[in-house]
Amino acid sequence: MSTFSNLTARGGLFVRFLQLSQVSRTISSSSSMKSKQSLVGFIGLGNMGNHMARNLLKKGYPLVIYDISKDSVKKLQEDGAKVATTPAEVASQVNRLVTMLPASAHVQEVYTGNNGIFSSVQKGSLLIDSSTIDPSVSQEMAKLAQGKGATFIDAPVSGGVNAARDGLLTFMVGGSETAYNLAKDLLSSMGKNVVHCGTVGTGQAAKICNNMLLAISMIGTSEAMNLGIKLGLEPKLLAKILNMSSGRCWSSEVYNPCPGVLDGVPSSNDYKGGFGTALMAKDLGLAQNASTVTKSPSPLGSLAHQIYRIMTNSGYADKDFSSAFKFLQDKKLNS
């Protein structure tokens, strides 16, 4: 065959490749649009869940929602979400459902209780739990879901309320590769990073390790800020120095616990909103349980757990966990 014929044949193949690629993109786009047309369920509309659900609405996903707080559902309902009266009612209408709940007990109740998700879940449904709970509970829910012909994955989040609001969360996903791929587009509409960690429960494992480190660094940042201020340093200047030095961390740079250093964070709003101290104490309890089971020494994690438990019992339970700074300045503590 002549050189010209070879080139012509290759050119034809190239054109055919472009045509097939265009068809593939069209099918992919069509599937995505079809996916967005079907209802998605969302249960748990607290400080994090409310923002996450709103971002799904913004990205074009129609929602049916449930929360025990009527105030939590009101604004989302005004923005177009359907409201259900029970978790079972949500599950009966969807084949993809996200839950964002405070603790293991809440997850167990919402999934297995009277009028719970498993009482009406549809076969083939994908159940995504973004709560931070004991990995063994995630594994238990996955087994129960399998018995109902559904798939359960754990996908806890990191980033805080501002990241939830701005769609910049990190999702740590535990489940099969297939389930991860099915969930990825939905999770990407609420976050910036979606990481597959392994089998069910590994997402929770990653999250409790992250939160243990976060709690330790927040207490350390609070101690450093408090000491520097007592030594006569201006708070914003001290924070600037820390953040250009080796002490820099997320707690100092993005979520500084000292009031007035950063705008738009709980410390500058009387520690309202954000991630509650009681929830941090709960997560540290999960980390300590895991440390005991795996015989992994975590002395600083244990101390942080004790501090947040004391804070929880000292009037800080509903304040953001960065109120460790305020706790250190408490006159009772220093008397």
Side-chain angles (χ1 to χ4, degrees):
M1 185 180 289
S2 68
T3 302
F4 178 78
S5 298
N6 276 328
L7 289 173
T8 302
R10 289 175 185 174
L13 287 172
F14 181 67
V15 170
R16 181 59 178 159
F17 171 76
L18 290 177
Q19 290 172 336
L20 289 172
S21 296
Q22 181 60 43
V23 170
S24 177
R25 285 194 296 270
T26 301
I27 292 172
S28 176
S29 175
S30 176
S31 297
S32 178
M33 289 300 293
K34 184 178 179 181
S35 175
K36 285 191 175 183
Q37 290 170 1
S38 60
L39 272 176
V40 174
F42 205 109
I43 298 174
L45 302 166
N47 290 332
M48 297 288 288
N50 209 289
H51 289 304
M52 293 164 66
R54 181 164 285 107
N55 280 326
L56 287 177
L57 282 174
K58 287 178 181 177
K59 293 295 177 67
Y61 289 95
L63 295 186
V64 53
I65 58 176
Y66 172 78
D67 194 277
I68 58 173
S69 168
K70 291 183 179 179
D71 290 338
S72 295
V73 304
K74 186 176 180 182
K75 186 63 171 66
L76 288 169
Q77 185 178 20
E78 292 172 356
D79 290 341
K82 292 178 61 178
V83 179
T85 57
T86 64
E89 187 180 338
V90 176
S92 68
Q93 299 180 58
V94 302
N95 55 28
R96 290 174 297 171
L97 197 161
V98 181
T99 51
M100 185 61 167
L101 303 160
S104 295
H106 301 94
V107 170
Q108 290 169 318
E109 176 63 25
V110 165
Y111 277 87
T112 68
N114 293 332
N115 290 314
I117 290 168
F118 288 145
S119 68
S120 64
V121 68
Q122 299 185 59
K123 286 187 177 180
S125 292
L126 177 63
L127 308 173
I128 305 169
D129 182 42
S130 289
S131 318
T132 300
I133 60 175
D134 191 310
S136 66
V137 174
S138 293
Q139 292 162 355
E140 177 193 356
M141 295 303 106
K143 288 180 181 178
L144 292 172
Q146 188 176 16
K148 297 286 185 177
T151 300
F152 176 100
I153 63 174
D154 56 309
V157 304
S158 179
V161 174
N162 287 347
R165 179 196 64 204
D166 298 334
L168 299 175
L169 291 169
T170 292
F171 286 89
M172 294 155 269
V173 183
S176 69
E177 187 79 29
T178 299
Y180 164 74
N181 288 328
L182 288 172
K184 192 172 182 180
D185 283 347
L186 196 65
L187 297 178
S188 295
S189 296
M190 300 180 282
K192 182 180 180 181
N193 304 301
V194 183
V195 183
H196 188 211
C197 300
T199 58
V200 174
T202 57
Q204 298 296 348
K207 177 60 190 292
I208 61 178
C209 289
N210 178 79
N211 274 22
M212 182 174 72
L213 178 57
L214 174 60
I216 293 168
S217 70
M218 181 57 76
I219 292 171
T221 300
S222 296
E223 290 182 358
M225 291 297 299
N226 185 49
L227 177 61
I229 291 167
K230 293 287 181 68
L231 290 171
L233 290 167
E234 193 275 327
K236 287 188 176 182
L237 174 64
L238 175 57
K240 180 180 179 180
I241 293 168
L242 292 175
N243 293 330
M244 61 174 60
S245 304
S246 56
R248 180 173 67 90
C249 61
W250 188 86
S251 296
S252 66
E253 186 175 30
V254 179
Y255 211 79
N256 198 284
C258 181
V261 170
L262 293 175
D263 294 328
V265 295
S267 62
S268 294
N269 187 35
D270 194 29
Y271 301 100
K272 295 176 182 176
F275 184 61
T277 293
L279 289 176
M280 178 57 86
K282 179 265 296 183
D283 288 0
L284 287 165
L286 294 175
Q288 287 307 294
N289 289 342
S291 294
T292 299
V293 170
T294 59
K295 298 181 180 179
S296 305
S298 55
L300 291 181
S302 177
L303 183 56
H305 185 211
Q306 292 178 51
I307 291 170
Y308 277 105
R309 286 181 64 188
I310 293 170
M311 288 175 62
T312 298
N313 294 323
S314 301
Y316 292 84
D318 295 327
K319 291 187 177 296
D320 182 75
F321 79 106
S322 62
S323 61
F325 176 82
K326 185 175 181 179
F327 175 70
L328 291 172
Q329 293 187 321
D330 196 314
K331 291 180 180 179
K332 295 178 182 177
L333 184 67
N334 295 296
S335 59

